[in-house]
């Protein structure tokens, strides 16, 4: 088989950089043909020097970004930007016959049927599974995907996602509500971009991941459970109807799920650090506390409600985390803003087009930037 033509959206970020490592480790399998980033930076200059043959796109979004990326005729698009900038590109790449390795959970959660529907029709056309076309990169979803290998989905009893619990796992509610930005950035096990690190501290990220799993695996929300597992070694598990449970275990290293998605259906020969049984002497699991982490409760409720609620959650959370980062609202303001935005807009029908999603986004953004804590 020839080399895979790879395009990366968000090439200078945490996932983008690790994707480039996986790509460079296997030059016989992958060729970088295009990449997109938000702004000019020293990192883009370095990338341009290292990959002079690849097309570079800076600061594009929507259809412009989609046209640019697809112009390079990729076989595989790695969606690794934050937010919704890449949603057109993701949907159109699927329609154009490229596989998409998707880290960008915002697109799956907010885009819902628009994204999954595109993956479903691409899969039907090629006679493959939906997940072969839209490949999970989020570590928990990669774990579930790996657990499902060789299984039939109608024999699944329950999906389990683990959460590290973040830096505030042992804090009381009032201390969490007043946590500082620097505290929220101290993730105990994963090194990630700023937005997802704050979402991991509020556990909103885990709520987004339950919705992401609900979409990707087409499973009811109430069949997906969360376990707080501070060691971050067991990333996800699936219980089956015969009483068996499969789990995926590995070091907290995003190169593993990235590489699994890029190399699928094979595994890479470039190992990450392997986990030993000595590392696993103590694996602990506890239920998440929805009282201390109200943002998780709001996110799960948005997933249950469906309609416009998941998209509202994504847009409001983007603004809420950046307003927290700039000191405009307290950490406890994040769940409050999300709840108010979902109350206001979540009852609407799910957007039926990317344009409808964009206009909902504009309204939720306008509401969220002027929102004040009670
Ligand atoms: N980091 C992780 O370990 C992890 C794990 C699981 C899932 N995820 C998900 O993966 C996605 C990326 O996360 P991250 O942590 O890698 O974020 P990040 O470090 O903040 O990187 C974001 C990347 O997106 C780029 N970008 C922003 N606007 C863009 C645009 N309009 N067009 C193209 N690129 C654009 C940024 O470029 P500039 O810097 O130039 O703006 C940067 O390269 C998120 O959806 C996150 O939830 C991340």
């Amino acid at each position: 088989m020839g080399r895979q033509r790879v395009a990366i959206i968000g090439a200078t970020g945490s996932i983008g950089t690790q994707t480039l490592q996986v790509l460079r480790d296997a030059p016989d399998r992958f060729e970088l043909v295009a990449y997109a980033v938000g702004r000019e930076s020293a990192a883009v200059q370095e990338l341009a020097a290292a990959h002079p043959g690849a097309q570079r796109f800076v600061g594009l979004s929507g259809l412009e970004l989609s046209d640019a990326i697809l112009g390079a005729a990729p076989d595989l698009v790695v969606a690794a930007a934050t937010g919704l900038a890449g949603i057109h590109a993701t949907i159109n790449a699927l329609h154009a016959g490229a596989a998409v390795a998707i880290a960008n959970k915002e697109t799956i959660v907010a885009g819902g049927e628009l994204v999954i529907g595109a993956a479903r029709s691409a899969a039907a056309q090629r006679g493959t599974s939906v997940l072969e076309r839209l490949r999970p990169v989020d570590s928990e979803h990669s774990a579930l995907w790996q657990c499902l290998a060789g299984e039939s989905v109608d024999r699944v009893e329950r999906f389990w996602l683990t959460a590290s619990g973040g830096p505030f796992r042992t804090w009381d509610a009032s201390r969490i509500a007043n946590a500082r930005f620097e505290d929220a950035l101290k993730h105990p096990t994963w090194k990630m971009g700023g937005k997802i690190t704050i979402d991991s501290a509020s556990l909103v990220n885990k709520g987004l991941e339950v919705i992401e799993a609900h979409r990707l695996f087409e499973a009811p929300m109430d069949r997906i459970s969360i376990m707080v597992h501070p060691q971050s070694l067991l990333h996800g598990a699936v219980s089956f109807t015969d009483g068996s449970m499969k789990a995926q275990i590995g070091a907290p290293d995003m190169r593993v799920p990235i590489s699994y998605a890029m190399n699928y259906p094979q595994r890479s020969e470039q190992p990450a650090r392997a986990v030993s049984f000595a590392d696993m002497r103590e694996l602990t699991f506890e239920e998440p506390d929805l009282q201390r982490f109200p943002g998780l409760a709001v996110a799960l409720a948005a997933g249950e409600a469906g309609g416009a609620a998941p998209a509202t959650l994504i847009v409001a959370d983007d603004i809420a985390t950046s307003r927290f980062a700039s000191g405009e609202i307290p950490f406890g303001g994040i769940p409050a803003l999300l709840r108010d935005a979902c109350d206001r807009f979540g009852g609407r029908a799910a957007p039926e087009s990317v344009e409808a999603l964009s206009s909902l986004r504009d309204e939720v953004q306008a509401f969220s930037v002027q929102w004040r804590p009670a």
Side-chain angles (χ1 to χ4, degrees), residues 9-15 36-39 60 65 80-82 85 103-106 138 192-193 196 254:
I9 305 174
T12 48
S14 162
I15 294 290
V37 299
R39 346 156 246 159
L60 304 182
L65 175 61
T82 44
N104 179 210
K105 66 190 86 186
E106 295 92 324
D138 222 347
M192 309 177 286
I196 185 174
M254 284 308 294

Side-chain angles (χ1 to χ4, degrees), residues 11 55 81 95 100 146 171 191 230 233 260 264 274 309 345 363 365:
Q55 296 180 46
H95 286 313
V100 176
Q146 294 181 51
W171 291 26
K191 211 170 162 323
L233 292 175
Y260 188 77
Y264 186 83
F345 301 99
E363 282 188 75
Q365 275 177 344

Side-chain angles (χ1 to χ4, degrees), residues 150-350:
E151 304 290 351
S152 104
V153 181
D154 60 354
R155 292 290 181 272
V156 171
E157 191 67 43
R158 182 158 294 284
F159 291 98
W160 302 90
L161 298 172
T162 57
S164 73
F168 308 144
R169 183 172 61 87
T170 58
W171 291 26
D172 67 35
S174 71
R175 196 172 164 212
I176 295 173
N178 295 303
R180 296 171 314 159
F181 179 57
E182 304 78 69
D183 299 324
L185 286 184
K186 286 182 196 145
H187 197 277
T189 46
W190 293 96
K191 211 170 162 323
M192 309 177 286
K195 157 83 168 42
I196 185 174
T197 304
I198 296 173
D199 283 341
S200 299
S202 65
L203 294 200
V204 167
N205 180 52
K206 212 44 62 178
L208 301 184
E209 288 181 4
V210 171
I211 305 174
E212 183 185 2
H214 160 64
R215 305 255 202 248
L216 283 171
F217 303 106
E218 306 195 46
M221 287 286 291
D222 64 6
R223 292 266 172 137
I224 306 165
S225 298
I226 302 168
M227 273 291 152
V228 174
H229 164 54
Q231 297 80 19
S232 294
L233 292 175
L234 190 155
H235 305 297
V238 178
S239 307
F240 295 94
T241 46
D242 63 354
S244 194
M245 182 191 267
K246 274 165 118 178
Q248 189 264 344
I249 291 173
D253 181 339
M254 284 308 294
R255 286 173 303 173
V256 177
I258 292 169
S259 159
Y260 188 77
M262 289 180 70
N263 285 286
Y264 186 83
Q266 292 173 19
R267 283 187 186 270
S268 161
E269 289 159 18
Q270 306 287 336
R273 182 180 70 79
V275 170
S276 72
F277 281 95
D279 294 327
M280 294 192 283
R281 282 207 183 100
E282 196 183 342
L283 298 187
T284 60
F285 302 92
E286 64 204 41
E287 305 262 347
D289 182 343
L290 298 181
Q291 305 297 323
R292 286 187 303 123
F293 294 97
L296 174 56
V298 176
L300 292 175
E304 290 284 356
T312 301
L313 180 76
I314 288 294
V315 178
D317 184 49
D318 196 32
I319 306 278
T321 50
S322 71
R323 289 188 70 193
F324 166 66
S326 64
E328 274 181 64
I329 63 171
F331 193 69
I334 296 175
L337 194 167
L338 299 187
R339 186 177 298 118
D340 287 354
C342 288
D343 284 350
R344 174 90 169 244
F345 301 99
R348 298 184 185 177

